[in-house]
C-alpha cells in the first residue's frame, strides 16, 4: 500500500497504480465524512486559487469541482469556452500562461482535445486536473464510480461490471476500464458493434453485442449516455433501434440480480439508455454517484493541490 | 492501520519500556478521573495512528478504575494542518469520528508526542468544525518541549528534555506490531 501521495496532476487513470487509486478512494472516505460535520468546510487549500477552465460545456462536473474547492477553502474562478479568449484566437498555451500569471494554483480543465491536460501539465507549475479531454479520459468520473461500487459492495475485485452504450467515444468508459481492471474487476463492454469494436479486447475486457446475455451475471451495470451531439451518423443505429436493442427497459431490468447496482454518469436520457422507473428504482445509485463525486473531487484537489510544486 | 516499520538505530537510547508506558498511561487515567467528575461527558479523541491506540488504552484503565465506559473518538488533523502545500508528499487522511453533539462534552485530545504544538492546534481546529465542546484538554505520552505555539499538555506520561535535532520514536504493540517502547535518536 502506498503510504504517501506525490503527484501534482491527475491526468488519467491509465498512469496510476492500483495503490494510488486506492489511496484516493481512502482519502475520499475522510472527505465524505466532512459533509456530516456542523461546519462542512476545512482550511486545507486556504489561500489557493482554483481555475475551472471548461472549454466544453458542462454543468455538473464544473459545479461539483467548484463546491469541492469551496469546501476546501480555495478561491474559485470559472472560465467557460464562451467567456474565454479562445474564441478570439488565443492559443490554449497562451490562455493557460495568463491564468498562471494570475497565480492560479490548480487548473481544472475540460477540453475537446485528448491530451490537452497533459500538454498543460508539462508546461505549468500549477496542478492540472483533467475534467474530461476529448474521447480520452475523465478520471474523476471513474474514481467516483469506483468509490460508489466500493461503498455499496465493500470491494471491487472479482465483481462483474457491464458498461453499456457508446464506448467508442466515451472517456468515461475508458477511465472506468483502466480503473476497474487495475482493481481486479471483470469488465464487459456492451453495445452495437460500430460503437463497441472487438479492438477493445486488447485492453483485457470482454466485448458483447447482446445486452440480455450480459445482464443476468452483472454485479454492476454502468449505462453511458448516448452522446447525440458527438455521434457521427453512420455509427449509430437510431434512437428507436438503440432502445430496442440496448436500452435498460423495465422488462430487461428484471433479468438483473437483485443486488446488481445500476449506475449512470448523468445527465440521463430518460427512456433512451434507461427507463424512468429503473433510474428511480431501488437498485439505482445514480444520486449516490453525485454525492460521492464531491468527496472524490475534494480528495483529488487536496492531494494534487496540497503538494509542494 | 499498521504503520510502516520504523527504523530504530543501534545508537538510539531507550527511554521507556512496556512497563513504564503502562504505568504512565494508568497514572494519566487516574488524573483524568480526578479532574473530570462527569466522566460520562468525557471523550478521549486520539490523533491517528498512535494517539488512537493510546486513547483506547487510557479508556480501558478508566474502565478498570471507575467501571465507567468513557467514549473514544478519532480526530484526524491532516486537512487542518498549516503546512499543506509545503510538503512534497502527503500522508493518508483518516476519517474523524466524534460522538455528537459536543456541546456538553470535554474532549481530551490524545497523542503520542507533543513537540511544536502545531498538530494540537490543527486538532482543536478540526474539533471546532464538529461543534463547540465545553472544554478541550490534552494528554500525551511524551512531552519533548520546543513549542512553537502557546499550547501546554494537561496530562503527561513523561517530560523528556530534548534538543531540536533529536528524534523521539514511539512504538506501540497494535499500531507498529512491535513491543511497546520509546526511544531517543541522537543527532
Amino acid at each position: 500500500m502506498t503510504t504517501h501521495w506525490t503527484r501534482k496532476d491527475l491526468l488519467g487513470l491509465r498512469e496510476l497504480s492500483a495503490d494510488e487509486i486506492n489511496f484516493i478512494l481512502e482519502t475520499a472516505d475522510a472527505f465524505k465524512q466532512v459533509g456530516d460535520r456542523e461546519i462542512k468546510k476545512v482550511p486545507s487549500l486556504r489561500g489557493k486559487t482554483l481555475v475551472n477552465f471548461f472549454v466544453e460545456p458542462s454543468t455538473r462536473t464544473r459545479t461539483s469541482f467548484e463546491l469541492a474547492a469551496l469546501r476546501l477553502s480555495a478561491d474559485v474562478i470559472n472560465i467557460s469556452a464562451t467567456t474565454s479568449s479562445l474564441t478570439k484566437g488565443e492559443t490554449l498555451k497562451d490562455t493557460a500562461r495568463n491564468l498562471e500569471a494570475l497565480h492560479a494554483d490548480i487548473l481544472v480543465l475540460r477540453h475537446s482535445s485528448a491530451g490537452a491536460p497533459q500538454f498543460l501539465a508539462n508546461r505549468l507549475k500549477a496542478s492540472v486536473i483533467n475534467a474530461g479531454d476529448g474521447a480520452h479520459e475523465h478520471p474523476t468520473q471513474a474514481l467516483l464510480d469506483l468509490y460508489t461500487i466500493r461503498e455499496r459492495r465493500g470491494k471491487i475485485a472479482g465483481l462483474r461490471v457491464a458498461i453499456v452504450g457508446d464506448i467508442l467515444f466515451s472517456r468515461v468508459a475508458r477511465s472506468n476500464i483502466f480503473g476497474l481492471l487495475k482493481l481486479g474487476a471483470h469488465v464487459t463492454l456492451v453495445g452495437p458493434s460500430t460503437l463497441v469494436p472487438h479492438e477493445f479486447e486488447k485492453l483485457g475486457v470482454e466485448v458483447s453485442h447482446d445486452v440480455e446475455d450480459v445482464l443476468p451475471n452483472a454485479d454492476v451495470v454502468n449505462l453511458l449516455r448516448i452522446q447525440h451531439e458527438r455521434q457521427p451518423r453512420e455509427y449509430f443505429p437510431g434512437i428507436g433501434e438503440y432502445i430496442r436493442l440496448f436500452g435498460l427497459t423495465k422488462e430487461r431490468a428484471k433479468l438483473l440480480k437483485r443486488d446488481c447496482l445500476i449506475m449512470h454518469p448523468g445527465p440521463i436520457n430518460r427512456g433512451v439508455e434507461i427507463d424512468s422507473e429503473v433510474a428511480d428504482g431501488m437498485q439505482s445509485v445514480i444520486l449516490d454517484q453525485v454525492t460521492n463525486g464531491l468527496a472524490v473531487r475534494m480528495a483529488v484537489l487536496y492531494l494534487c493541490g496540497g503538494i509542494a510544486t | 492501520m499498521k504503520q510502516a516499520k520504523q527504523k530504530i538505530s543501534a545508537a538510539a537510547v531507550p527511554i521507556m519500556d512496556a512497563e513504564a508506558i503502562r504505568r504512565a498511561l494508568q497514572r494519566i487515567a487516574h488524573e483524568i478521573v480526578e479532574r473530570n467528575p462527569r466522566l460520562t461527558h468525557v471523550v478521549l479523541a486520539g490523533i491517528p495512528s498512535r494517539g488512537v491506540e493510546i486513547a483506547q488504552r487510557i479508556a480501558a484503565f478508566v474502565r478498570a478504575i471507575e467501571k465507567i465506559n468513557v467514549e473514544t473518538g478519532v480526530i484526524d488533523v491532516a486537512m487542518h494542518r498549516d503546512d499543506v502545500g509545503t510538503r512534497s508528499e502527503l500522508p493518508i487522511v483518516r476519517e474523524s469520528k466524534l460522538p455528537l453533539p459536543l456541546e456538553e462534552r470535554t474532549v481530551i485530545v490524545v497523542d503520542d508526542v507533543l513537540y511544536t504544538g502545531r498538530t494540537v492546534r490543527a486538532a482543536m481546529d478540526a474539533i471546532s468544525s464538529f461543534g463547540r465542546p465545553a472544554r478541550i484538554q490534552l494528554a500525551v505520552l511524551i512531552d519533548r518541549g520546543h513549542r512553537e505555539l502557546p499550547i501546554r499538555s494537561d496530562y503527561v506520561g513523561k517530560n523528556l528534555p530534548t534538543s531540536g535535532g533529536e528524534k523521539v520514536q514511539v512504538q506501540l504493540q497494535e499500531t507498529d506490531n512491535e513491543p511497546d517502547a520509546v526511544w531517543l535518536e541522537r543527532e
Side-chain angles (χ1 to χ4, degrees), chain A residues 6-7 9 20 40 46 61 63 69 72-74 79 102 106 112 130 161 180 192 200 206 232 257 259 263 268 293:
Chain A
T6 53
R7 290 177 188 269
D9 308 304
E20 285 176 308
K40 295 172 183 49
R46 192 167 55 188
T61 304
T63 44
L72 294 169
S73 307
I79 299 177
L102 293 170
I106 305 170
S112 52
N130 182 2
V161 180
L180 286 165
F200 276 102
E206 288 174 44
K257 291 198 259 185
D259 59 354
M263 307 177 75
I268 58 177

PDB file of all heavy atoms in Angstrom, chain A residues 6-7 9 20 40 46 61 63 69 72-74 79 102 106 112 130 161 180 192 200 206 232 257 259 263 268 293:
ATOM      1  N   THR A   6       2.311  11.706  -4.188  1.00  0.00           N
ATOM      2  CA  THR A   6       3.410  12.547  -4.678  1.00  0.00           C
ATOM      3  C   THR A   6       3.109  13.249  -6.008  1.00  0.00           C
ATOM      4  O   THR A   6       3.982  13.915  -6.555  1.00  0.00           O
ATOM      5  CB  THR A   6       4.683  11.695  -4.881  1.00  0.00           C
ATOM      6  OG1 THR A   6       4.352  10.589  -5.710  1.00  0.00           O
ATOM      7  CG2 THR A   6       5.229  11.178  -3.564  1.00  0.00           C
ATOM      8  N   ARG A   7       1.903  13.107  -6.567  1.00  0.00           N
ATOM      9  CA  ARG A   7       1.631  13.701  -7.885  1.00  0.00           C
ATOM     10  C   ARG A   7       0.994  15.086  -7.778  1.00  0.00           C
ATOM     11  O   ARG A   7       0.125  15.289  -6.944  1.00  0.00           O
ATOM     12  CB  ARG A   7       0.663  12.815  -8.679  1.00  0.00           C
ATOM     13  CG  ARG A   7       1.246  11.515  -9.136  1.00  0.00           C
ATOM     14  CD  ARG A   7       0.172  10.707  -9.843  1.00  0.00           C
ATOM     15  NE  ARG A   7       0.647   9.366 -10.135  1.00  0.00           N
ATOM     16  CZ  ARG A   7       1.257   9.044 -11.279  1.00  0.00           C
ATOM     17  NH1 ARG A   7       1.426   9.950 -12.226  1.00  0.00           N
ATOM     18  NH2 ARG A   7       1.681   7.820 -11.472  1.00  0.00           N
ATOM     19  N   ASP A   9      -0.482  16.416 -10.575  1.00  0.00           N
ATOM     20  CA  ASP A   9      -1.538  16.410 -11.591  1.00  0.00           C
ATOM     21  C   ASP A   9      -2.344  15.108 -11.540  1.00  0.00           C
ATOM     22  O   ASP A   9      -1.821  14.060 -11.168  1.00  0.00           O
ATOM     23  CB  ASP A   9      -0.929  16.513 -12.996  1.00  0.00           C
ATOM     24  CG  ASP A   9       0.038  17.678 -13.112  1.00  0.00           C
ATOM     25  OD1 ASP A   9      -0.381  18.811 -12.827  1.00  0.00           O
ATOM     26  OD2 ASP A   9       1.208  17.443 -13.477  1.00  0.00           O
ATOM     27  N   GLU A  20      -2.283   3.750  -5.850  1.00  0.00           N
ATOM     28  CA  GLU A  20      -2.609   5.182  -5.909  1.00  0.00           C
ATOM     29  C   GLU A  20      -4.114   5.396  -6.007  1.00  0.00           C
ATOM     30  O   GLU A  20      -4.666   6.318  -5.398  1.00  0.00           O
ATOM     31  CB  GLU A  20      -1.897   5.847  -7.095  1.00  0.00           C
ATOM     32  CG  GLU A  20      -0.410   6.044  -6.834  1.00  0.00           C
ATOM     33  CD  GLU A  20       0.325   6.613  -8.051  1.00  0.00           C
ATOM     34  OE1 GLU A  20       0.195   6.038  -9.151  1.00  0.00           O
ATOM     35  OE2 GLU A  20       1.018   7.623  -7.891  1.00  0.00           O
ATOM     36  N   LYS A  40     -19.041  22.358   7.265  1.00  0.00           N
ATOM     37  CA  LYS A  40     -18.674  21.437   6.194  1.00  0.00           C
ATOM     38  C   LYS A  40     -17.510  21.962   5.377  1.00  0.00           C
ATOM     39  O   LYS A  40     -17.428  21.752   4.185  1.00  0.00           O
ATOM     40  CB  LYS A  40     -19.882  21.192   5.292  1.00  0.00           C
ATOM     41  CG  LYS A  40     -21.007  20.492   6.009  1.00  0.00           C
ATOM     42  CD  LYS A  40     -22.254  20.440   5.176  1.00  0.00           C
ATOM     43  CE  LYS A  40     -23.386  19.805   5.951  1.00  0.00           C
ATOM     44  NZ  LYS A  40     -23.584  20.355   7.305  1.00  0.00           N
ATOM     45  N   ARG A  46      -6.729  26.838   1.842  1.00  0.00           N
ATOM     46  CA  ARG A  46      -6.919  28.265   2.099  1.00  0.00           C
ATOM     47  C   ARG A  46      -5.811  29.060   1.423  1.00  0.00           C
ATOM     48  O   ARG A  46      -4.636  28.707   1.529  1.00  0.00           O
ATOM     49  CB  ARG A  46      -6.898  28.498   3.612  1.00  0.00           C
ATOM     50  CG  ARG A  46      -7.370  29.868   4.030  1.00  0.00           C
ATOM     51  CD  ARG A  46      -7.622  29.901   5.512  1.00  0.00           C
ATOM     52  NE  ARG A  46      -6.432  29.478   6.264  1.00  0.00           N
ATOM     53  CZ  ARG A  46      -6.420  29.259   7.564  1.00  0.00           C
ATOM     54  NH1 ARG A  46      -7.510  29.389   8.264  1.00  0.00           N
ATOM     55  NH2 ARG A  46      -5.312  28.892   8.167  1.00  0.00           N
ATOM     56  N   THR A  61     -20.165  18.551 -13.697  1.00  0.00           N
ATOM     57  CA  THR A  61     -18.766  18.349 -13.316  1.00  0.00           C
ATOM     58  C   THR A  61     -18.175  19.655 -12.804  1.00  0.00           C
ATOM     59  O   THR A  61     -17.467  19.692 -11.800  1.00  0.00           O
ATOM     60  CB  THR A  61     -17.951  17.825 -14.513  1.00  0.00           C
ATOM     61  OG1 THR A  61     -18.566  16.642 -15.004  1.00  0.00           O
ATOM     62  CG2 THR A  61     -16.527  17.501 -14.105  1.00  0.00           C
ATOM     63  N   THR A  63     -19.757  22.281 -11.445  1.00  0.00           N
ATOM     64  CA  THR A  63     -20.264  22.684 -10.132  1.00  0.00           C
ATOM     65  C   THR A  63     -19.747  21.750  -9.042  1.00  0.00           C
ATOM     66  O   THR A  63     -19.514  22.186  -7.914  1.00  0.00           O
ATOM     67  CB  THR A  63     -21.809  22.717 -10.087  1.00  0.00           C
ATOM     68  OG1 THR A  63     -22.304  21.553 -10.720  1.00  0.00           O
ATOM     69  CG2 THR A  63     -22.362  23.924 -10.790  1.00  0.00           C
ATOM     70  N   ALA A  69     -13.939  22.598  -4.226  1.00  0.00           N
ATOM     71  CA  ALA A  69     -12.894  23.594  -3.960  1.00  0.00           C
ATOM     72  C   ALA A  69     -13.310  24.553  -2.853  1.00  0.00           C
ATOM     73  O   ALA A  69     -12.508  24.905  -1.980  1.00  0.00           O
ATOM     74  CB  ALA A  69     -12.583  24.368  -5.245  1.00  0.00           C
ATOM     75  N   LEU A  72     -12.917  23.175   0.499  1.00  0.00           N
ATOM     76  CA  LEU A  72     -11.509  23.119   0.917  1.00  0.00           C
ATOM     77  C   LEU A  72     -10.946  24.519   1.134  1.00  0.00           C
ATOM     78  O   LEU A  72      -9.743  24.694   1.288  1.00  0.00           O
ATOM     79  CB  LEU A  72     -10.681  22.382  -0.145  1.00  0.00           C
ATOM     80  CG  LEU A  72     -11.000  20.897  -0.335  1.00  0.00           C
ATOM     81  CD1 LEU A  72     -10.313  20.363  -1.589  1.00  0.00           C
ATOM     82  CD2 LEU A  72     -10.544  20.099   0.877  1.00  0.00           C
ATOM     83  N   SER A  73     -11.808  25.533   1.081  1.00  0.00           N
ATOM     84  CA  SER A  73     -11.437  26.930   1.321  1.00  0.00           C
ATOM     85  C   SER A  73     -10.592  27.562   0.221  1.00  0.00           C
ATOM     86  O   SER A  73      -9.914  28.563   0.457  1.00  0.00           O
ATOM     87  CB  SER A  73     -10.712  27.097   2.668  1.00  0.00           C
ATOM     88  OG  SER A  73     -11.457  26.551   3.717  1.00  0.00           O
ATOM     89  N   ALA A  74     -10.591  26.997  -0.981  1.00  0.00           N
ATOM     90  CA  ALA A  74      -9.882  27.637  -2.094  1.00  0.00           C
ATOM     91  C   ALA A  74     -10.766  28.721  -2.703  1.00  0.00           C
ATOM     92  O   ALA A  74     -11.981  28.712  -2.536  1.00  0.00           O
ATOM     93  CB  ALA A  74      -9.532  26.599  -3.156  1.00  0.00           C
ATOM     94  N   ILE A  79     -14.127  29.757 -15.872  1.00  0.00           N
ATOM     95  CA  ILE A  79     -13.995  30.294 -17.220  1.00  0.00           C
ATOM     96  C   ILE A  79     -14.563  29.266 -18.185  1.00  0.00           C
ATOM     97  O   ILE A  79     -14.198  28.096 -18.126  1.00  0.00           O
ATOM     98  CB  ILE A  79     -12.520  30.569 -17.561  1.00  0.00           C
ATOM     99  CG1 ILE A  79     -11.956  31.595 -16.577  1.00  0.00           C
ATOM    100  CG2 ILE A  79     -12.389  31.066 -18.996  1.00  0.00           C
ATOM    101  CD1 ILE A  79     -10.499  31.882 -16.780  1.00  0.00           C
ATOM    102  N   LEU A 102      -1.890  34.980 -13.145  1.00  0.00           N
ATOM    103  CA  LEU A 102      -2.809  35.399 -12.078  1.00  0.00           C
ATOM    104  C   LEU A 102      -2.579  34.579 -10.809  1.00  0.00           C
ATOM    105  O   LEU A 102      -3.349  34.671  -9.871  1.00  0.00           O
ATOM    106  CB  LEU A 102      -4.261  35.206 -12.523  1.00  0.00           C
ATOM    107  CG  LEU A 102      -4.768  36.085 -13.656  1.00  0.00           C
ATOM    108  CD1 LEU A 102      -6.131  35.602 -14.127  1.00  0.00           C
ATOM    109  CD2 LEU A 102      -4.840  37.541 -13.214  1.00  0.00           C
ATOM    110  N   ILE A 106      -4.315  25.728  -9.077  1.00  0.00           N
ATOM    111  CA  ILE A 106      -4.895  24.483  -9.579  1.00  0.00           C
ATOM    112  C   ILE A 106      -5.736  24.825 -10.805  1.00  0.00           C
ATOM    113  O   ILE A 106      -6.535  25.758 -10.783  1.00  0.00           O
ATOM    114  CB  ILE A 106      -5.803  23.810  -8.524  1.00  0.00           C
ATOM    115  CG1 ILE A 106      -5.028  23.607  -7.220  1.00  0.00           C
ATOM    116  CG2 ILE A 106      -6.367  22.496  -9.044  1.00  0.00           C
ATOM    117  CD1 ILE A 106      -5.904  23.183  -6.053  1.00  0.00           C
ATOM    118  N   SER A 112     -12.002  19.620 -25.503  1.00  0.00           N
ATOM    119  CA  SER A 112     -12.459  18.686 -26.537  1.00  0.00           C
ATOM    120  C   SER A 112     -11.311  17.896 -27.165  1.00  0.00           C
ATOM    121  O   SER A 112     -11.542  16.919 -27.858  1.00  0.00           O
ATOM    122  CB  SER A 112     -13.228  19.446 -27.616  1.00  0.00           C
ATOM    123  OG  SER A 112     -12.442  20.522 -28.068  1.00  0.00           O
ATOM    124  N   ASN A 130      -7.574  16.785 -14.917  1.00  0.00           N
ATOM    125  CA  ASN A 130      -8.336  16.515 -16.126  1.00  0.00           C
ATOM    126  C   ASN A 130      -9.812  16.298 -15.770  1.00  0.00           C
ATOM    127  O   ASN A 130     -10.154  15.363 -15.065  1.00  0.00           O
ATOM    128  CB  ASN A 130      -7.753  15.269 -16.806  1.00  0.00           C
ATOM    129  CG  ASN A 130      -8.466  14.935 -18.113  1.00  0.00           C
ATOM    130  OD1 ASN A 130      -9.372  15.648 -18.526  1.00  0.00           O
ATOM    131  ND2 ASN A 130      -8.045  13.860 -18.745  1.00  0.00           N
ATOM    132  N   VAL A 161     -18.568  -6.152 -13.965  1.00  0.00           N
ATOM    133  CA  VAL A 161     -19.114  -4.834 -14.303  1.00  0.00           C
ATOM    134  C   VAL A 161     -19.396  -4.771 -15.798  1.00  0.00           C
ATOM    135  O   VAL A 161     -18.514  -5.059 -16.616  1.00  0.00           O
ATOM    136  CB  VAL A 161     -18.122  -3.708 -13.917  1.00  0.00           C
ATOM    137  CG1 VAL A 161     -18.709  -2.346 -14.271  1.00  0.00           C
ATOM    138  CG2 VAL A 161     -17.772  -3.787 -12.440  1.00  0.00           C
ATOM    139  N   LEU A 180     -11.168  -0.082 -13.238  1.00  0.00           N
ATOM    140  CA  LEU A 180     -11.779  -1.357 -12.828  1.00  0.00           C
ATOM    141  C   LEU A 180     -10.807  -2.512 -12.996  1.00  0.00           C
ATOM    142  O   LEU A 180     -10.692  -3.373 -12.125  1.00  0.00           O
ATOM    143  CB  LEU A 180     -13.043  -1.610 -13.651  1.00  0.00           C
ATOM    144  CG  LEU A 180     -14.252  -0.745 -13.285  1.00  0.00           C
ATOM    145  CD1 LEU A 180     -15.317  -0.812 -14.381  1.00  0.00           C
ATOM    146  CD2 LEU A 180     -14.845  -1.179 -11.940  1.00  0.00           C
ATOM    147  N   PRO A 192     -23.679  -1.653 -29.724  1.00  0.00           N
ATOM    148  CA  PRO A 192     -23.631  -2.000 -31.145  1.00  0.00           C
ATOM    149  C   PRO A 192     -22.179  -2.153 -31.608  1.00  0.00           C
ATOM    150  O   PRO A 192     -21.292  -1.491 -31.082  1.00  0.00           O
ATOM    151  CB  PRO A 192     -24.300  -0.816 -31.838  1.00  0.00           C
ATOM    152  CG  PRO A 192     -24.621   0.183 -30.782  1.00  0.00           C
ATOM    153  CD  PRO A 192     -24.275  -0.352 -29.452  1.00  0.00           C
ATOM    154  N   PHE A 200     -11.310  -3.461 -28.448  1.00  0.00           N
ATOM    155  CA  PHE A 200     -11.213  -3.191 -27.011  1.00  0.00           C
ATOM    156  C   PHE A 200     -10.726  -4.402 -26.223  1.00  0.00           C
ATOM    157  O   PHE A 200     -10.226  -4.263 -25.119  1.00  0.00           O
ATOM    158  CB  PHE A 200     -12.578  -2.735 -26.466  1.00  0.00           C
ATOM    159  CG  PHE A 200     -12.852  -1.274 -26.658  1.00  0.00           C
ATOM    160  CD1 PHE A 200     -13.688  -0.826 -27.662  1.00  0.00           C
ATOM    161  CD2 PHE A 200     -12.255  -0.334 -25.823  1.00  0.00           C
ATOM    162  CE1 PHE A 200     -13.931   0.535 -27.844  1.00  0.00           C
ATOM    163  CE2 PHE A 200     -12.497   1.021 -25.992  1.00  0.00           C
ATOM    164  CZ  PHE A 200     -13.333   1.458 -27.013  1.00  0.00           C
ATOM    165  N   GLU A 206     -14.040  -8.012 -21.920  1.00  0.00           N
ATOM    166  CA  GLU A 206     -14.853  -8.777 -22.863  1.00  0.00           C
ATOM    167  C   GLU A 206     -15.755  -7.814 -23.624  1.00  0.00           C
ATOM    168  O   GLU A 206     -16.108  -6.753 -23.105  1.00  0.00           O
ATOM    169  CB  GLU A 206     -15.725  -9.794 -22.117  1.00  0.00           C
ATOM    170  CG  GLU A 206     -14.933 -10.966 -21.557  1.00  0.00           C
ATOM    171  CD  GLU A 206     -15.811 -11.866 -20.714  1.00  0.00           C
ATOM    172  OE1 GLU A 206     -16.946 -12.168 -21.149  1.00  0.00           O
ATOM    173  OE2 GLU A 206     -15.361 -12.245 -19.627  1.00  0.00           O
ATOM    174  N   PRO A 232     -21.281  10.640 -35.030  1.00  0.00           N
ATOM    175  CA  PRO A 232     -21.389  10.648 -36.491  1.00  0.00           C
ATOM    176  C   PRO A 232     -22.503   9.674 -36.886  1.00  0.00           C
ATOM    177  O   PRO A 232     -22.633   8.618 -36.302  1.00  0.00           O
ATOM    178  CB  PRO A 232     -20.030  10.121 -36.948  1.00  0.00           C
ATOM    179  CG  PRO A 232     -19.143  10.132 -35.745  1.00  0.00           C
ATOM    180  CD  PRO A 232     -20.031  10.064 -34.552  1.00  0.00           C
ATOM    181  N   LYS A 257     -29.561  -9.385 -11.333  1.00  0.00           N
ATOM    182  CA  LYS A 257     -29.530  -9.905  -9.968  1.00  0.00           C
ATOM    183  C   LYS A 257     -30.102  -8.829  -9.045  1.00  0.00           C
ATOM    184  O   LYS A 257     -29.982  -7.639  -9.315  1.00  0.00           O
ATOM    185  CB  LYS A 257     -28.077 -10.191  -9.552  1.00  0.00           C
ATOM    186  CG  LYS A 257     -27.466 -11.366 -10.290  1.00  0.00           C
ATOM    187  CD  LYS A 257     -26.221 -11.871  -9.554  1.00  0.00           C
ATOM    188  CE  LYS A 257     -24.973 -11.366 -10.205  1.00  0.00           C
ATOM    189  NZ  LYS A 257     -23.739 -11.910  -9.631  1.00  0.00           N
ATOM    190  N   ASP A 259     -29.117  -7.678  -6.259  1.00  0.00           N
ATOM    191  CA  ASP A 259     -28.166  -6.743  -5.655  1.00  0.00           C
ATOM    192  C   ASP A 259     -27.294  -6.049  -6.706  1.00  0.00           C
ATOM    193  O   ASP A 259     -26.311  -5.409  -6.373  1.00  0.00           O
ATOM    194  CB  ASP A 259     -27.301  -7.451  -4.609  1.00  0.00           C
ATOM    195  CG  ASP A 259     -26.503  -8.610  -5.205  1.00  0.00           C
ATOM    196  OD1 ASP A 259     -26.716  -8.924  -6.404  1.00  0.00           O
ATOM    197  OD2 ASP A 259     -25.671  -9.184  -4.483  1.00  0.00           O
ATOM    198  N   MET A 263     -25.812   2.157 -12.507  1.00  0.00           N
ATOM    199  CA  MET A 263     -25.114   3.438 -12.452  1.00  0.00           C
ATOM    200  C   MET A 263     -25.255   4.177 -13.777  1.00  0.00           C
ATOM    201  O   MET A 263     -25.464   3.571 -14.828  1.00  0.00           O
ATOM    202  CB  MET A 263     -23.622   3.212 -12.165  1.00  0.00           C
ATOM    203  CG  MET A 263     -23.377   2.358 -10.941  1.00  0.00           C
ATOM    204  SD  MET A 263     -21.629   2.024 -10.647  1.00  0.00           S
ATOM    205  CE  MET A 263     -21.136   3.595 -10.006  1.00  0.00           C
ATOM    206  N   ILE A 268     -28.965  11.830 -17.474  1.00  0.00           N
ATOM    207  CA  ILE A 268     -29.613  10.668 -18.088  1.00  0.00           C
ATOM    208  C   ILE A 268     -30.625  11.106 -19.147  1.00  0.00           C
ATOM    209  O   ILE A 268     -31.257  12.140 -19.028  1.00  0.00           O
ATOM    210  CB  ILE A 268     -30.310   9.750 -17.043  1.00  0.00           C
ATOM    211  CG1 ILE A 268     -31.369  10.505 -16.227  1.00  0.00           C
ATOM    212  CG2 ILE A 268     -29.309   9.123 -16.114  1.00  0.00           C
ATOM    213  CD1 ILE A 268     -32.122   9.615 -15.246  1.00  0.00           C
ATOM    214  N   GLY A 293     -19.174  12.071  -5.867  1.00  0.00           N
ATOM    215  CA  GLY A 293     -18.326  12.865  -6.754  1.00  0.00           C
ATOM    216  C   GLY A 293     -17.706  14.034  -6.013  1.00  0.00           C
ATOM    217  O   GLY A 293     -16.542  14.386  -6.217  1.00  0.00           O
TER     218      GLY A 293
END
